[in-house]
Each structure stands twice: as structure tokens, then as C-alpha cells.
Amino acid sequence: MTQPLVSVIIPVYQCRDTVGGALESVFAQSLPAEQVEVIAVDDGSTDGGGELLDELARAHDRLTVVHQPNSGGAGAPRNRGLELASGTFVFFLDADDRLGPEALERMTAMAERNGTDIVLGKQVGTGGRKAPKVFDRSVERTHVLDPGCDLFGRMSMAALQLFRRSLVERAGLRFTEGLVAHEDQLFTAGAYLNAGGVSVLADYDCYYWAAREDGSSATQGAGAPPADLYAIIGRAMRQVADHTEPGETRERLNRRYLRLEVFGRLDRLYLDSSPDDRKVTLTGCRELLEEWYTPAQRELAHPLHRVIGHCVLHDLEDELLEVLRFRRGGSRPRLHLEDGRAYLKYPFFRDAAVRIPDACFASPAPLVVLPTLTRLAWEDGALLAGGRVVVRDVDEGSPEVRLLLEDGDGGRRAVECETVSAAPADEGVEASFTAAVGPEAADLPDGRWTLHIEVSLSGHVRTVPLVRPRDLPLPRAALAGTRLLRPVRARAGEPLALEAGASLTSADFGEVEVGWGPGRRVRVRADAPPVLGDGPAMSVQLHHADDGTTISAPLEAAPDDPSRLRADLSLAGARPGRWRARFAVDGAGEPVPVRLPAEGGGVLGPVTASVVPPRRVHVKMDRRTATVHVTAPMGSLARRTWRRLLPGGGTKPRP
């Protein structure tokens, strides 16, 4: 008989309603049938699941069914399956879960392609179950002992993975028997530590992991007793020590157990435990902390975990309960800032009676600064950016605020803000700010400058992007010297930006109107770009479409409305033809077309611009370019008369 490529081992206990679906997902695999061996071990089911397995075995010769008395957990049936397995690989499937159709083919191919001993296939939670956060990308080959590998800390220790069987036998790996949970901790961790290599398959949904009401798998109850649990965790951490030297790698691997199995379990479960379980838990956690909670682990631990660890190590049980109740209450601890240091004010911070060291409360995390932009406009010769900032969870001090402009090459310009501090609020200390980007912006090198807010408070400095809310209008471009500064639309969440040295566009001139001025001149009125400081000369030009001749008039403030500019263009001596209207700004690039608003259009005139020489004018207005049409009536009359004097009345003979 040909050796199968993979043996799928399924422990079964009280799973009559789900085990059929699990088995069908194996029978439907894309691998050839002869390459898949299925071993289902009935662990004393009383719900008819054993009889169902026998019935399915009669219909599927690839299925081997084993019956045994209930052992109290998934460990014993999995070990029995390992004794019978003959595949090159083994895969452990729980009886209420299922496989994706190509899971085994893809995982075995990945293992053979890379020569790896373990393949962690993408797990997908169903029914509300959360899957481990290790599947952001596929990894062809890695190892948990490699520098920088974070797999050990991010993965689940559930053995729902593909293992090379030679690794299992070479390392003597077996599951802990008689436990309803954590029976796979030593098996899975031992496999990863002894493996020649590990692969992560993240681009295909391999395993559909079902949730149960008690949070366990189908073969488990509510969890392992605390004494058994901490005995297993102690063995697991010593197993790590057997495969590593003292130093960064050992600390990185053991951090997982301290974070999840010591601090995490105390945080989640201790308050709801019985007095007896609390006593066992405290003893188990204290022993683990005394052996493995090194100064390096303390340094990297979260402040909450440091406080919890201190309480456990120093028999502060009442204080531990109060800290855990505070945590469960959902309140965030306030921050105390002092001499460039930050401390999370969990219960008993600087309590002289308890005397927990400040180092336990020290927070390495930066300040959380929340800026809100409420004002953005060109006013009084400057771009005014105003709003408020909140330094979250802080209730002391007055923040100082600066606006920073940063380019993509590390260049930075700072603009001091007027800051007004408010009283501390529930969210933290708050300050309003106003920054004015004025004529000095003319010195900004060409390019895009992003806007950030820098907040200083009690020796701490934090810089965050300044984001424009969707409902806050974006101002148009302004002139700083002869250079254009244009606020730029950013994608959601990206900082507001200024483009220095931007190109002039027709949209930079708003509320454009074209009409007749005194002396039958063409009058153009518009809102021009704001000017920071002394601005360049602006004008309106009429450009002849045929020979490029230009008629120009300055664009200046209108006496009746200084907020708007106007230009009056005389066409008394203009030669006939089409004259296209353009706005021009000295030194700010090429002239741009005069364009009317969307509702603009139509024709002005005709008007007699001059009698000698005779000129009649009409203006055609559309959204592309306002165009002045000049005609010479006497010249047209002479041409018509000449055509009439030609033979045939000026008409061309028909061919």
C-alpha cells in the first residue's frame, strides 16, 4: 500500500452534530484520495457520535475509526492517532471545525517546496471566534529562534497545523493527557523549537475555526485547573530555556507566556475565581515570576503588568484586587508628567502606605495628542490655521503648540502659535491655537509641505499630522511674492499640505464677471488670489488668436468694492479677429484663460468701440475662455461691394 502524504487526526467527543461536516471537508480535499489518511478517535462519546463514525467508515475506506474510554481531553485521542498515523505529514482537525478544499494540497506543497517541518495555514474564525493575528502575509521559511521573528508571540499554541511526522517522532512530541485545555501547549511549542523551519500560508483560508459558548474547542470543557495550567506553563518556559541561551531570544519567547498566561489570565479571570483557585493562581504566578520575570522583562512589560507583578511578588493581594477592579471598570489611568517622564496613575501610584516603585508605573508610550482643525482661511495677509488640541489623559499643565511645515527631504519650518489653555476636561488638557503662515512663506522651496502640530508639555514633545475635516472648506491658492501657495486636498487621514511654487490656474480667480465699462471698454471683474505682503502686478490680457498681438490692462482694486479687482480694456484700435481673455500674474508662470462660472455664458454686444477707425465689438462668454470678437464694418462693406462688382455678382461659377 502506498504511503499517504498526510494523516488527518480528529479527536471526537460529543460531536455527533458537527463531526460529519469536519470529515466531509477532509474527503473533499483537492489532493488525490490515496494521499489522505483519516483517523478519527472516539473518546467515549455518549451522543451517538461513535456509531456515526462507524457508519461513515463503512462508506469511506480512507477513514479509520478508533474507540476508547473517555480520557478527559483531546490529548489522549490525538496521541492514539499519532500511533496509527503513517503519512509523511500529520494534521490535527477538531471535530467541530473544517478545512478549506485546497488546504492540505497547498500546505504540503509549501512544506515540500521549502523543506519546512511545520506549515501554519491561515485560520478563519467562525461564529464569533477570533483567529490569531499572524496571517498578514505568507512566509516561505522562518524559525522562531531567528532574530526578529515574532511568530512565537503572535500565534496560537493550538496544534491545528500541519507537522512533518518525522519531526514529531524525532523530538518525541506528545500531547498532555487528561486535560480539557492547554493539552497542546508543550506539543506545539516543542515542535516549533525543534523544527528545521516553519512556513506561514496566509493567502488561502485553510482552517475554519468554530467558536463555542464556553470559548473552548469541541473536545474541551471550560479550561484546565490552575495547578495543572501553571505546571504546564512552567515546563513550557523551561523548554524554551533548553533551546536558547540567556539573552534577547529567550526573553522574546518567554515574553509570550508572561504576557498571556500570567498577566493576561490574572487580568481576565482572577476576579471571578473561587478563593481556592485564587490561592493556587497566586502561587503559580509567583513561582513563574520569581524564575522568569527578569529586569529585561520588566522593562518591556506594560505598566499595568508591572503593577500586577509587583503585587503578586510582594503578597499585596488586596491591592491586586483593587488594581484589577480598576482595570475591569474600563477607565483609562490618567498620566502624570514629570521631568520628561510619564507615569500611568493606576491605583496606589505614589501611595506612601503601599510604596510600589515609580518604575512600575512608568510609561514609554508617547503622549496621545488629538488636534482638531476648525479654521483655515487667508485673512489679513496670512493663512490662518486654528483649532484645538487635546493631550489625552493628562490633567496637569498647559501645552505649548507650534505649527510645523515639513517637506519630503527632511526640511522643516516652524510657525509659532498663539495658544490659549483651557481647564482640564474629561478627555485631558485642552488648548486652542492659531497659527499664521504669512509673507515669510515666500522663502519656502518649491514642493509639497505637509502641516503638523507639535505639542510640548512638561518636557514631552509630540508631533502629529494636522488633518482637515471634510466639512471645512479648502482655501484657494495665494501669492507670496511672485510664488503661488496652494492648499492641497489630502486623502482621508493624511495631513493637510501646501504646495509652494504651484502653477497658476483659472480656478485661482473666482466670481469672474465680464461686461462693459465706461468708454465702451471691456470690463473684467474677479476675486484674485490673496496676497501675502507685497504682491506682484496682475493684469488681464486680450490675446489675438492669429498673430499673438496682446492688449493688456492692470487688474486693480475697484473703488466701489476694494475686495474685488477689475480691469478695463480699450478696443478702440484693436484689429479685427478673435481676442481671447487671460489673467496674468508677473513672475507666477504663464497667463491662464478667463473662465466664467458654470452659470455664465451668452454674448455681450455688439457695441461700437470706435468710429475712427470703425470698430464693432461683441463678447462671447463660455466656460472655456471669454473671447472678444472685433469686426471692422467699413472693411466688410467694401469687401461686399467688391464681390458684387465681380463678374457673376461675386459668385464663383459652378464646376
Side-chain angles (χ1 to χ4, degrees):
M1 181 177 179
T2 304
Q3 179 187 18
L5 179 62
V6 57
S7 299
V8 179
I9 299 172
I10 307 176
V12 181
Y13 179 67
Q14 308 296 65
C15 297
R16 178 182 175 85
D17 293 340
T18 61
V19 68
L23 285 168
E24 285 301 324
S25 76
V26 180
F27 298 146
Q29 288 296 297
S30 57
L31 278 176
E34 64 273 11
Q35 294 189 16
V36 181
E37 174 183 58
V38 189
I39 303 170
V41 181
D42 170 31
D43 198 45
S45 298
T46 59
D47 64 345
E51 292 78 5
L52 175 62
L53 290 175
D54 290 335
E55 181 180 339
L56 292 171
R58 287 191 288 271
H60 298 276
D61 57 7
R62 300 157 55 194
L63 172 61
T64 299
V65 176
V66 178
H67 300 277
Q68 64 181 32
N70 182 255
S71 64
R78 284 178 178 161
N79 288 339
R80 179 61 176 148
L82 281 173
E83 294 172 3
L84 300 174
S86 60
T88 303
F89 299 94
V90 292
F91 189 92
F92 299 98
L93 173 65
D94 278 352
D96 55 350
D97 299 335
R98 59 188 176 86
L99 294 174
E102 300 175 20
L104 296 180
E105 181 180 7
R106 288 175 179 254
M107 286 189 287
T108 54
M110 193 174 207
E112 291 182 323
R113 180 170 68 248
N114 297 290
T116 46
D117 291 331
I118 304 173
V119 177
L120 176 56
K122 183 177 180 181
Q123 297 164 347
V124 180
T126 62
R129 181 154 200 160
K130 294 182 179 180
K133 298 178 180 180
V134 295
F135 301 111
D136 51 348
R137 64 185 181 90
S138 292
V139 179
E140 290 292 321
R141 186 181 182 90
T142 188
H143 199 287
V144 295
L145 299 181
D146 290 345
C149 178
D150 64 349
L151 181 59
F152 201 77
R154 299 174 65 200
M155 58 179 277
S156 163
M157 284 296 170
L160 311 175
Q161 308 172 39
L162 184 79
F163 300 91
R164 196 177 293 271
R165 192 163 61 89
S166 60
L167 162 68
V168 175
E169 300 307 325
R170 182 178 72 251
L173 301 175
R174 289 297 184 269
F175 293 88
T176 304
E177 299 190 4
L179 294 181
V180 294
H182 283 73
E183 81 290 339
D184 43 9
Q185 283 275 342
L186 296 173
F187 179 95
T188 305
Y192 273 82
L193 291 167
N194 286 280
V198 178
S199 299
V200 179
L201 177 59
D203 55 3
Y204 181 77
D205 295 346
C206 295
Y207 196 98
Y208 293 88
W209 205 356
R212 288 169 62 89
E213 292 183 1
D214 60 9
S216 66
S217 72
T219 54
Q220 297 174 351
D228 292 332
L229 167 69
Y230 289 108
I232 287 175
I233 300 305
R235 289 175 59 191
M237 297 181 79
R238 285 188 287 276
Q239 185 174 244
V240 168
D242 291 340
H243 287 81
T244 59
E245 296 294 330
E248 191 279 332
T249 299
R250 179 183 295 181
E251 301 288 3
R252 170 167 48 84
L253 299 184
N254 274 340
R255 193 171 303 132
R256 141 184 251 286
Y257 294 112
L258 294 175
R259 176 172 54 87
L260 296 177
E261 308 297 353
V262 177
F263 301 123
R265 291 182 69 84
L266 284 169
D267 187 13
R268 297 191 315 272
L269 305 175
Y270 189 79
L271 289 177
D272 300 322
S273 299
S274 67
D276 288 342
D277 279 353
R278 285 184 181 180
K279 183 177 180 180
V280 173
T281 296
L282 280 180
T283 300
C285 288
R286 186 181 301 112
E287 291 175 351
L288 291 174
L289 291 174
E290 287 173 345
E291 186 170 4
W292 303 111
Y293 192 42
T294 64
Q297 297 287 5
R298 286 185 176 88
E299 181 71 22
L300 293 173
H302 188 278
L304 172 66
H305 294 168
R306 290 196 219 111
V307 174
I308 290 174
H310 183 88
C311 292
V312 172
L313 287 169
H314 293 82
D315 297 321
L316 301 174
E317 186 173 0
D318 291 340
E319 290 78 4
L320 173 64
L321 288 170
E322 186 168 338
V323 170
L324 294 177
R325 290 190 189 105
F326 175 87
R327 165 72 168 178
R328 180 168 290 189
S331 298
R332 288 198 306 267
R334 306 298 274 188
L335 266 175
H336 175 73
L337 305 178
E338 182 180 297
D339 298 329
R341 297 183 177 90
Y343 304 95
L344 288 176
K345 294 164 66 173
Y346 284 107
F348 308 108
F349 173 68
R350 292 190 175 170
D351 187 321
V354 181
R355 294 167 47 169
I356 299 176
D358 280 1
C360 292
F361 300 89
S363 173
L367 299 181
V368 176
V369 174
L370 307 173
T372 302
L373 187 65
T374 59
R375 180 186 184 191
L376 187 67
W378 300 106
E379 296 180 19
D380 301 325
L383 176 64
L384 296 185
R388 64 186 182 94
V389 293
V390 174
V391 185
R392 198 174 70 183
D393 300 329
V394 176
D395 49 18
E396 307 161 321
S398 298
E400 298 178 0
V401 183
R402 292 199 307 170
L403 181 70
L404 296 180
L405 286 77
E406 299 181 351
D407 67 7
D409 299 322
R412 174 179 283 199
R413 301 291 179 91
V415 179
E416 299 299 328
C417 296
E418 292 185 10
T419 307
V420 179
S421 296
D426 290 342
E427 199 172 10
V429 295
E430 179 180 318
S432 60
F433 68 90
T434 303
V437 181
E440 68 276 5
D443 296 330
L444 289 175
D446 287 353
R448 180 169 293 199
W449 294 77
T450 56
L451 275 62
H452 302 259
I453 287 293
E454 180 187 85
V455 175
S456 302
L457 182 61
S458 300
H460 294 261
V461 179
R462 178 75 168 141
T463 302
V464 295
L466 186 60
V467 179
R468 180 181 65 90
R470 289 182 178 273
D471 58 351
L472 189 65
L474 188 71
R476 65 180 191 272
L479 286 161
T482 60
R483 302 173 67 251
L484 211 63
L485 295 178
R486 187 185 307 283
V488 179
R489 291 189 183 278
R491 295 178 181 175
E494 291 185 350
L496 179 68
L498 276 179
E499 184 182 356
S503 299
L504 192 68
T505 70
S506 297
D508 296 325
F509 295 84
E511 301 298 325
V512 177
E513 298 176 0
V514 178
W516 298 116
R520 295 184 291 275
R521 288 177 170 86
V522 175
R523 170 166 288 180
V524 178
R525 297 168 64 97
D527 293 338
V531 176
L532 312 186
D534 296 329
M538 289 183 272
S539 61
V540 176
Q541 300 175 352
L542 295 177
H543 184 79
H544 197 279
D546 295 329
D547 63 10
T549 304
T550 298
I551 298 173
S552 179
L555 191 62
E556 299 174 327
D560 59 334
D561 186 1
S563 64
R564 288 171 59 78
L565 304 184
R566 75 182 188 194
D568 291 330
L569 298 111
S570 173
L571 296 170
R575 63 183 298 243
R578 289 175 300 146
W579 297 77
R580 294 190 175 94
R582 304 186 302 183
F583 290 116
V585 178
D586 288 356
E590 296 297 320
V592 296
V594 173
R595 291 181 178 167
L596 279 296
E599 63 275 9
V603 176
L604 290 179
V607 168
T608 301
S610 63
V611 178
V612 180
R615 293 291 184 267
R616 288 176 66 80
V617 175
H618 69 275
V619 180
K620 181 181 179 183
M621 298 178 292
D622 59 34
R623 293 193 63 194
R624 290 183 58 82
T625 305
T627 304
V628 176
H629 295 262
V630 178
T631 59
M634 294 302 294
S636 298
L637 177 60
R639 285 192 294 274
R640 289 196 300 272
T641 302
W642 177 253
R643 284 197 295 268
R644 282 197 297 269
L645 295 175
L646 290 174
T651 59
K652 295 182 180 180
R654 294 180 181 273

